[in-house]
Amino acid sequence: MALALGNSDLALDATDEAMARAAERWSQVGSYDNPAGWVYRVAINWARTRLRRLTRERGRLEFEPGYEQAIPDPQLIASVMSLPINYRAVLVARFLLDWSVEETSEVLQIPVGTVKTRTHRALKRLRSGLEAGE
Amino acid sequence: MSLEQKLRENLDAAAEAIVVPSARRAPQKTPGIGWARRLVFAAGGAIAVLALIIVPALLVGPPPEDAGTETTGQVEDAAPDLLDETVPETFSGPSTTPPATTVGPDEEPGVIGETMTDDHRFTVSAEQTGEDDMPTATLTLNATPTDAPDDVIDEVMIGDASIFFWHTVTGPEGLCLLSSTQTEAGVSVAVLVLLSPSLGCSEPYLYEMSGETLTAKDTSLPDVANLFVEAWQSGSVPAIEALATPEASAQAADLPAPAETTFNSCGAVAEEQGIVECTWETTGTTLVVRVSGIEPMPAVMDVAYSPSG
C-alpha cells in the first residue's frame, strides 16, 4: 500500500480504514473471491480522496536506513514513485501482489483494457526514465 | 533480465525496506473511525490482516509466465484512461440540466437525488446496510423514462456495497453533485457522494447510458474539468474541493462563477506532463480550466478568465 500511495503515513491510515471496514462487514467481504483485493481497492480509493486534501502537507515514503543496499535498483523504485498514483496502483497489483490482469481489473474496478494500457504506459515511462538516466 | 522481472525484484525489496509508521510514532486517531469501529477493528483486524496476506498467495499462486507480454496486447481496445490526452469528439460542455434535487424520504422512499434529461430520469437511491451505531449504505443509480418513473430501464450500484455512511448520504447535501449530460453517444451521468463532513466528497462516479444500458466509465481529464465547472455553477463547495487542488479551489472562490457557458474545446497543453486545458465561452470572456493528471490524482490545477478572441 505504501508503494502504491508513495506515502507511509497515508498508507497506514488507509489500511486502518480499509481493514476496519472489512472487519465490520466480514461476513460479506469474507465471501468475496478476493477479500484482499476488496481491502486494496477500498484503501486506494479512501487514500485518493484524502490525498487530494493533503496536497500541501503530503508526507513521503520512508525506507529503513541503508535501503539503497537492500534494493537492487533504487533508481527504478524512484522512477516508480514518480508515476501517477493510478499507474502505481496497477504496477503494485501486477508486479508486487502478482495479481493477473483480470484480477487487477476486478480489484480496481477498471476495464481489463485500462489495466493493460496503464501497465504498458507505466513500463514505457520507466523504460524511458531508465534510459535517460544511463 | 526484463524490466518486468526487475520491477518484481525491486518492489519486493522496497516493500521489505519500508519503515512501518506505527513503529516510530504514537497511535493517532484516524478520521472516520469511531470508538465502536475501533473495537470491531481490534477483534476482526487480525482476520482481515491474515486475509490480506494469505488469500492472494492461495488464490493467485505463481505469476503467469506471460505476465510480461500482456502489457503490449490490445492496447488500442483499452477504455479511456485518466491520462489519455485524446479528447473524445463527443465530449460536450456542462449540461444545461438543473442541479440534482434532493428528494426527502417522505416523497420517495430511499431516493436521495435525481437529475433528468429530455428522455430519462436518473435517481440515486440509498439502502441501509447494517444496524449498528454507524450504519452503512449501498447506493444505486436507476434510470427510468422521464414519463414513466416506475418503469426501470437499468440500474447500477454506485461504487461498492456498503461503502457509504447511511446518515451522511441521507442527510443534507449527501450528494455533492449529480448531473446528466446529453452526448452524441448517449447520456453521461456523474455522481459525487459525500463520504463524511470531514473527508468531503468521493471521487466522481461516471456512468454512460447507451441504449438501455447503464455502464460505469473511467473519468477522463476533460470529465474532471466539466464536472468542476458544473460544481462551480451549482455552488457546491465540497464538490469543487473534491475536484480541484486547494489552490484552484481558492481561485474559484475568488472569481464569480460563470453564469452561462458554451463549451469550446479541450486539448493537451503539455503532453508529457499530462495536463489538459479546457475552455468555455461565457459572457464576453473565455473560461480556462487546466486539469492535471499527474499528482496526486487528476484534479483541476488552475482556473482563470481571459478576454475572448
Side-chain angles (χ1 to χ4, degrees), chain B residues 16-66:
Chain B
E16 291 292 326
I18 289 173
V19 174
V20 179
S22 58
R24 57 169 171 70
R25 70 169 190 180
Q28 70 181 55
K29 181 176 172 60
T30 302
I33 302 183
W35 66 269
R37 298 181 72 201
R38 285 285 181 191
L39 285 178
V40 175
F41 175 67
I47 299 172
V49 168
L50 284 175
L52 186 62
I53 295 169
I54 296 171
V55 170
L58 293 178
L59 292 178
V60 178
E65 289 181 3
D66 63 341

Short mmCIF file of all heavy atoms in Angstrom, two decimals, chain B residues 16-66:
data_model
loop_
_atom_site.label_atom_id
_atom_site.label_comp_id
_atom_site.label_asym_id
_atom_site.label_seq_id
_atom_site.Cartn_x
_atom_site.Cartn_y
_atom_site.Cartn_z
N GLU B 16 10.05 -4.57 1.61
CA GLU B 16 10.70 -5.02 2.85
C GLU B 16 11.40 -3.88 3.57
O GLU B 16 11.55 -3.91 4.80
CB GLU B 16 11.75 -6.11 2.51
CG GLU B 16 11.16 -7.42 2.02
CD GLU B 16 10.41 -8.14 3.12
OE1 GLU B 16 10.83 -8.04 4.28
OE2 GLU B 16 9.39 -8.79 2.82
N ALA B 17 11.83 -2.89 2.80
CA ALA B 17 12.66 -1.82 3.40
C ALA B 17 11.84 -0.64 3.89
O ALA B 17 12.39 0.29 4.48
CB ALA B 17 13.68 -1.34 2.37
N ILE B 18 10.55 -0.66 3.66
CA ILE B 18 9.72 0.48 4.07
C ILE B 18 9.60 0.53 5.59
O ILE B 18 9.40 -0.49 6.25
CB ILE B 18 8.32 0.39 3.44
CG1 ILE B 18 8.42 0.67 1.94
CG2 ILE B 18 7.35 1.36 4.09
CD1 ILE B 18 7.14 0.43 1.20
N VAL B 19 9.74 1.73 6.13
CA VAL B 19 9.56 1.91 7.57
C VAL B 19 8.07 1.84 7.88
O VAL B 19 7.26 2.53 7.24
CB VAL B 19 10.10 3.29 8.02
CG1 VAL B 19 9.78 3.53 9.49
CG2 VAL B 19 11.59 3.36 7.77
N VAL B 20 7.72 0.98 8.81
CA VAL B 20 6.31 0.89 9.22
C VAL B 20 6.02 2.05 10.15
O VAL B 20 6.64 2.16 11.21
CB VAL B 20 6.03 -0.44 9.92
CG1 VAL B 20 4.58 -0.52 10.36
CG2 VAL B 20 6.39 -1.60 9.01
N PRO B 21 5.11 2.95 9.78
CA PRO B 21 4.87 4.16 10.58
C PRO B 21 4.53 3.86 12.03
O PRO B 21 4.95 4.57 12.91
CB PRO B 21 3.71 4.84 9.87
CG PRO B 21 3.78 4.34 8.47
CD PRO B 21 4.29 2.93 8.58
N SER B 22 3.78 2.80 12.29
CA SER B 22 3.36 2.53 13.66
C SER B 22 4.56 2.23 14.56
O SER B 22 4.48 2.31 15.77
CB SER B 22 2.38 1.37 13.69
OG SER B 22 2.98 0.23 13.12
N ALA B 23 5.69 1.89 13.94
CA ALA B 23 6.85 1.55 14.73
C ALA B 23 7.60 2.80 15.20
O ALA B 23 8.49 2.72 16.02
CB ALA B 23 7.80 0.67 13.92
N ARG B 24 7.26 3.94 14.66
CA ARG B 24 8.01 5.13 15.03
C ARG B 24 7.13 6.29 15.47
O ARG B 24 7.58 7.39 15.66
CB ARG B 24 8.87 5.59 13.86
CG ARG B 24 8.09 5.86 12.62
CD ARG B 24 8.92 6.58 11.56
NE ARG B 24 8.23 6.64 10.29
CZ ARG B 24 7.17 7.39 10.08
NH1 ARG B 24 6.66 8.13 11.04
NH2 ARG B 24 6.59 7.39 8.89
N ARG B 25 5.84 6.07 15.61
CA ARG B 25 5.01 7.18 16.04
C ARG B 25 3.91 6.67 16.96
O ARG B 25 3.55 5.50 16.90
CB ARG B 25 4.37 7.89 14.86
CG ARG B 25 3.31 7.07 14.17
CD ARG B 25 2.52 7.90 13.20
NE ARG B 25 1.36 7.13 12.74
CZ ARG B 25 0.48 7.56 11.89
NH1 ARG B 25 0.58 8.75 11.39
NH2 ARG B 25 -0.54 6.82 11.52
N ALA B 26 3.42 7.57 17.77
CA ALA B 26 2.33 7.20 18.66
C ALA B 26 1.07 7.02 17.85
O ALA B 26 0.88 7.68 16.83
CB ALA B 26 2.13 8.30 19.70
N PRO B 27 0.20 6.11 18.27
CA PRO B 27 -1.06 5.92 17.54
C PRO B 27 -1.84 7.22 17.49
O PRO B 27 -1.86 7.97 18.46
CB PRO B 27 -1.81 4.88 18.38
CG PRO B 27 -0.77 4.24 19.23
CD PRO B 27 0.28 5.25 19.44
N GLN B 28 -2.43 7.49 16.36
CA GLN B 28 -3.27 8.67 16.27
C GLN B 28 -4.63 8.29 15.72
O GLN B 28 -4.76 7.30 15.01
CB GLN B 28 -2.62 9.73 15.39
CG GLN B 28 -2.57 9.39 13.91
CD GLN B 28 -1.90 10.49 13.13
OE1 GLN B 28 -0.78 10.89 13.42
NE2 GLN B 28 -2.57 11.00 12.14
N LYS B 29 -5.58 9.10 16.09
CA LYS B 29 -6.96 8.78 15.70
C LYS B 29 -7.10 8.95 14.20
O LYS B 29 -6.68 9.95 13.63
CB LYS B 29 -7.92 9.72 16.42
CG LYS B 29 -9.37 9.45 16.08
CD LYS B 29 -10.26 10.36 16.91
CE LYS B 29 -11.70 10.27 16.47
NZ LYS B 29 -12.25 8.94 16.58
N THR B 30 -7.63 7.96 13.57
CA THR B 30 -7.88 8.03 12.14
C THR B 30 -9.26 8.62 11.90
O THR B 30 -10.23 8.13 12.45
CB THR B 30 -7.85 6.63 11.52
OG1 THR B 30 -6.57 6.06 11.79
CG2 THR B 30 -8.07 6.69 10.03
N PRO B 31 -9.35 9.70 11.15
CA PRO B 31 -10.66 10.29 10.90
C PRO B 31 -11.60 9.26 10.32
O PRO B 31 -11.23 8.49 9.45
CB PRO B 31 -10.36 11.39 9.87
CG PRO B 31 -8.91 11.65 9.99
CD PRO B 31 -8.29 10.38 10.45
N GLY B 32 -12.78 9.27 10.80
CA GLY B 32 -13.78 8.39 10.23
C GLY B 32 -13.91 7.07 10.96
O GLY B 32 -14.80 6.30 10.69
N ILE B 33 -13.02 6.78 11.90
CA ILE B 33 -13.15 5.53 12.64
C ILE B 33 -13.48 5.85 14.09
O ILE B 33 -12.63 6.32 14.84
CB ILE B 33 -11.85 4.71 12.58
CG1 ILE B 33 -11.50 4.42 11.12
CG2 ILE B 33 -12.01 3.42 13.33
CD1 ILE B 33 -10.29 3.55 10.95
N GLY B 34 -14.66 5.61 14.49
CA GLY B 34 -15.09 5.88 15.85
C GLY B 34 -14.68 4.78 16.78
O GLY B 34 -14.09 3.78 16.39
N TRP B 35 -14.99 4.99 18.08
CA TRP B 35 -14.54 4.00 19.06
C TRP B 35 -15.17 2.64 18.82
O TRP B 35 -14.54 1.61 19.02
CB TRP B 35 -14.83 4.49 20.47
CG TRP B 35 -16.30 4.59 20.79
CD1 TRP B 35 -17.09 5.69 20.61
CD2 TRP B 35 -17.13 3.56 21.30
NE1 TRP B 35 -18.36 5.40 20.98
CE2 TRP B 35 -18.43 4.11 21.42
CE3 TRP B 35 -16.93 2.23 21.67
CZ2 TRP B 35 -19.50 3.37 21.89
CZ3 TRP B 35 -18.00 1.51 22.15
CH2 TRP B 35 -19.27 2.08 22.26
N ALA B 36 -16.43 2.65 18.39
CA ALA B 36 -17.10 1.38 18.17
C ALA B 36 -16.44 0.60 17.05
O ALA B 36 -16.21 -0.61 17.14
CB ALA B 36 -18.56 1.63 17.83
N ARG B 37 -16.05 1.34 16.02
CA ARG B 37 -15.40 0.66 14.91
C ARG B 37 -14.02 0.18 15.32
O ARG B 37 -13.53 -0.84 14.85
CB ARG B 37 -15.31 1.60 13.70
CG ARG B 37 -16.67 2.03 13.20
CD ARG B 37 -16.54 2.93 12.02
NE ARG B 37 -16.10 2.20 10.83
CZ ARG B 37 -15.53 2.80 9.79
NH1 ARG B 37 -15.33 4.08 9.80
NH2 ARG B 37 -15.17 2.09 8.74
N ARG B 38 -13.37 0.95 16.18
CA ARG B 38 -12.06 0.53 16.67
C ARG B 38 -12.16 -0.82 17.38
O ARG B 38 -11.30 -1.68 17.23
CB ARG B 38 -11.49 1.56 17.64
CG ARG B 38 -10.98 2.80 16.95
CD ARG B 38 -9.67 2.53 16.26
NE ARG B 38 -9.17 3.74 15.62
CZ ARG B 38 -8.16 3.75 14.78
NH1 ARG B 38 -7.58 2.63 14.45
NH2 ARG B 38 -7.75 4.87 14.25
N LEU B 39 -13.22 -0.95 18.19
CA LEU B 39 -13.40 -2.20 18.90
C LEU B 39 -13.59 -3.35 17.92
O LEU B 39 -12.99 -4.41 18.04
CB LEU B 39 -14.62 -2.11 19.83
CG LEU B 39 -14.42 -1.29 21.11
CD1 LEU B 39 -15.72 -1.24 21.90
CD2 LEU B 39 -13.32 -1.90 21.97
N VAL B 40 -14.43 -3.07 16.93
CA VAL B 40 -14.66 -4.10 15.92
C VAL B 40 -13.38 -4.41 15.19
O VAL B 40 -13.03 -5.55 14.92
CB VAL B 40 -15.75 -3.63 14.92
CG1 VAL B 40 -15.90 -4.64 13.79
CG2 VAL B 40 -17.06 -3.41 15.65
N PHE B 41 -12.65 -3.34 14.92
CA PHE B 41 -11.39 -3.49 14.19
C PHE B 41 -10.41 -4.37 14.97
O PHE B 41 -9.75 -5.26 14.43
CB PHE B 41 -10.78 -2.12 13.94
CG PHE B 41 -9.42 -2.18 13.29
CD1 PHE B 41 -9.30 -2.65 12.00
CD2 PHE B 41 -8.29 -1.79 13.97
CE1 PHE B 41 -8.06 -2.71 11.40
CE2 PHE B 41 -7.06 -1.85 13.37
CZ PHE B 41 -6.94 -2.31 12.09
N ALA B 42 -10.37 -4.11 16.31
CA ALA B 42 -9.44 -4.88 17.14
C ALA B 42 -9.76 -6.37 17.06
O ALA B 42 -8.87 -7.21 17.00
CB ALA B 42 -9.53 -4.41 18.58
N ALA B 43 -11.05 -6.68 17.03
CA ALA B 43 -11.45 -8.08 17.00
C ALA B 43 -11.28 -8.69 15.62
O ALA B 43 -10.81 -9.82 15.47
CB ALA B 43 -12.90 -8.20 17.44
N GLY B 44 -11.66 -7.93 14.63
CA GLY B 44 -11.68 -8.51 13.29
C GLY B 44 -10.47 -8.20 12.46
O GLY B 44 -10.25 -8.79 11.42
N GLY B 45 -9.63 -7.27 12.94
CA GLY B 45 -8.49 -6.84 12.15
C GLY B 45 -7.54 -7.98 11.83
O GLY B 45 -7.03 -8.09 10.73
N ALA B 46 -7.34 -8.82 12.85
CA ALA B 46 -6.40 -9.92 12.65
C ALA B 46 -6.85 -10.83 11.52
O ALA B 46 -6.03 -11.29 10.71
CB ALA B 46 -6.27 -10.71 13.94
N ILE B 47 -8.15 -11.04 11.47
CA ILE B 47 -8.69 -11.89 10.40
C ILE B 47 -8.43 -11.24 9.05
O ILE B 47 -7.96 -11.89 8.11
CB ILE B 47 -10.20 -12.09 10.59
CG1 ILE B 47 -10.46 -12.78 11.93
CG2 ILE B 47 -10.79 -12.90 9.43
CD1 ILE B 47 -11.93 -12.85 12.29
N ALA B 48 -8.69 -9.93 9.00
CA ALA B 48 -8.52 -9.24 7.72
C ALA B 48 -7.05 -9.20 7.31
O ALA B 48 -6.72 -9.34 6.14
CB ALA B 48 -9.09 -7.84 7.82
N VAL B 49 -6.18 -9.00 8.31
CA VAL B 49 -4.74 -8.98 8.01
C VAL B 49 -4.31 -10.32 7.43
O VAL B 49 -3.61 -10.39 6.42
CB VAL B 49 -3.92 -8.67 9.29
CG1 VAL B 49 -2.44 -8.94 9.04
CG2 VAL B 49 -4.12 -7.22 9.71
N LEU B 50 -4.77 -11.38 8.08
CA LEU B 50 -4.43 -12.71 7.57
C LEU B 50 -4.95 -12.89 6.15
O LEU B 50 -4.27 -13.44 5.29
CB LEU B 50 -5.03 -13.79 8.48
CG LEU B 50 -4.29 -14.00 9.81
CD1 LEU B 50 -5.04 -14.99 10.68
CD2 LEU B 50 -2.87 -14.49 9.56
N ALA B 51 -6.18 -12.37 5.94
CA ALA B 51 -6.77 -12.50 4.60
C ALA B 51 -5.93 -11.77 3.57
O ALA B 51 -5.66 -12.27 2.49
CB ALA B 51 -8.19 -11.97 4.60
N LEU B 52 -5.49 -10.54 3.96
CA LEU B 52 -4.72 -9.72 3.02
C LEU B 52 -3.41 -10.40 2.63
O LEU B 52 -2.95 -10.31 1.50
CB LEU B 52 -4.44 -8.35 3.64
CG LEU B 52 -3.77 -7.32 2.73
CD1 LEU B 52 -4.69 -7.02 1.55
CD2 LEU B 52 -3.46 -6.05 3.48
N ILE B 53 -2.84 -11.08 3.61
CA ILE B 53 -1.54 -11.71 3.34
C ILE B 53 -1.71 -13.07 2.67
O ILE B 53 -1.02 -13.41 1.72
CB ILE B 53 -0.77 -11.88 4.67
CG1 ILE B 53 -0.44 -10.49 5.24
CG2 ILE B 53 0.50 -12.69 4.46
CD1 ILE B 53 0.08 -10.52 6.65
N ILE B 54 -2.65 -13.86 3.20
CA ILE B 54 -2.73 -15.26 2.78
C ILE B 54 -3.54 -15.45 1.50
O ILE B 54 -3.13 -16.19 0.60
CB ILE B 54 -3.34 -16.11 3.91
CG1 ILE B 54 -2.40 -16.10 5.12
CG2 ILE B 54 -3.59 -17.54 3.45
CD1 ILE B 54 -2.98 -16.71 6.36
N VAL B 55 -4.66 -14.75 1.42
CA VAL B 55 -5.57 -15.03 0.31
C VAL B 55 -4.94 -14.84 -1.06
O VAL B 55 -5.07 -15.71 -1.92
CB VAL B 55 -6.85 -14.18 0.44
CG1 VAL B 55 -7.69 -14.28 -0.82
CG2 VAL B 55 -7.66 -14.67 1.63
N PRO B 56 -4.20 -13.72 -1.28
CA PRO B 56 -3.59 -13.60 -2.63
C PRO B 56 -2.66 -14.76 -2.93
O PRO B 56 -2.63 -15.26 -4.05
CB PRO B 56 -2.82 -12.28 -2.53
CG PRO B 56 -3.45 -11.54 -1.42
CD PRO B 56 -3.92 -12.58 -0.44
N ALA B 57 -1.92 -15.18 -1.91
CA ALA B 57 -0.98 -16.27 -2.14
C ALA B 57 -1.72 -17.56 -2.50
O ALA B 57 -1.29 -18.32 -3.36
CB ALA B 57 -0.13 -16.48 -0.90
N LEU B 58 -2.84 -17.79 -1.82
CA LEU B 58 -3.60 -19.01 -2.08
C LEU B 58 -4.34 -18.95 -3.41
O LEU B 58 -4.40 -19.93 -4.15
CB LEU B 58 -4.61 -19.24 -0.96
CG LEU B 58 -4.01 -19.57 0.42
CD1 LEU B 58 -5.12 -19.72 1.44
CD2 LEU B 58 -3.19 -20.84 0.34
N LEU B 59 -4.90 -17.79 -3.68
CA LEU B 59 -5.75 -17.68 -4.87
C LEU B 59 -4.96 -17.49 -6.14
O LEU B 59 -5.30 -18.01 -7.19
CB LEU B 59 -6.73 -16.51 -4.72
CG LEU B 59 -7.80 -16.68 -3.66
CD1 LEU B 59 -8.66 -15.43 -3.61
CD2 LEU B 59 -8.67 -17.89 -3.97
N VAL B 60 -3.89 -16.72 -6.02
CA VAL B 60 -3.19 -16.32 -7.24
C VAL B 60 -2.11 -17.31 -7.64
O VAL B 60 -1.99 -17.66 -8.80
CB VAL B 60 -2.57 -14.91 -7.05
CG1 VAL B 60 -1.80 -14.52 -8.29
CG2 VAL B 60 -3.66 -13.91 -6.75
N GLY B 61 -1.32 -17.77 -6.66
CA GLY B 61 -0.24 -18.67 -6.99
C GLY B 61 0.87 -17.94 -7.70
O GLY B 61 0.95 -16.72 -7.66
N PRO B 62 1.74 -18.68 -8.37
CA PRO B 62 2.87 -18.05 -9.03
C PRO B 62 2.40 -17.17 -10.19
O PRO B 62 1.35 -17.42 -10.77
CB PRO B 62 3.69 -19.24 -9.54
CG PRO B 62 2.72 -20.37 -9.61
CD PRO B 62 1.72 -20.13 -8.54
N PRO B 63 3.17 -16.13 -10.51
CA PRO B 63 2.77 -15.24 -11.59
C PRO B 63 2.73 -15.98 -12.92
O PRO B 63 3.54 -16.89 -13.15
CB PRO B 63 3.88 -14.17 -11.59
CG PRO B 63 5.03 -14.80 -10.89
CD PRO B 63 4.44 -15.76 -9.91
N PRO B 64 1.80 -15.59 -13.79
CA PRO B 64 1.74 -16.26 -15.10
C PRO B 64 3.00 -16.00 -15.90
O PRO B 64 3.59 -14.94 -15.80
CB PRO B 64 0.51 -15.61 -15.75
CG PRO B 64 0.31 -14.33 -15.01
CD PRO B 64 0.80 -14.56 -13.63
N GLU B 65 3.36 -16.99 -16.70
CA GLU B 65 4.62 -16.87 -17.43
C GLU B 65 4.59 -15.74 -18.44
O GLU B 65 5.59 -15.16 -18.76
CB GLU B 65 4.92 -18.18 -18.14
CG GLU B 65 5.31 -19.29 -17.16
CD GLU B 65 5.62 -20.57 -17.89
OE1 GLU B 65 5.58 -20.55 -19.13
OE2 GLU B 65 5.88 -21.58 -17.22
N ASP B 66 3.40 -15.44 -18.95
CA ASP B 66 3.32 -14.41 -19.99
C ASP B 66 2.94 -13.06 -19.43
O ASP B 66 2.51 -12.19 -20.15
CB ASP B 66 2.31 -14.82 -21.07
CG ASP B 66 0.91 -14.91 -20.50
OD1 ASP B 66 0.79 -15.01 -19.27
OD2 ASP B 66 -0.04 -14.89 -21.31
#
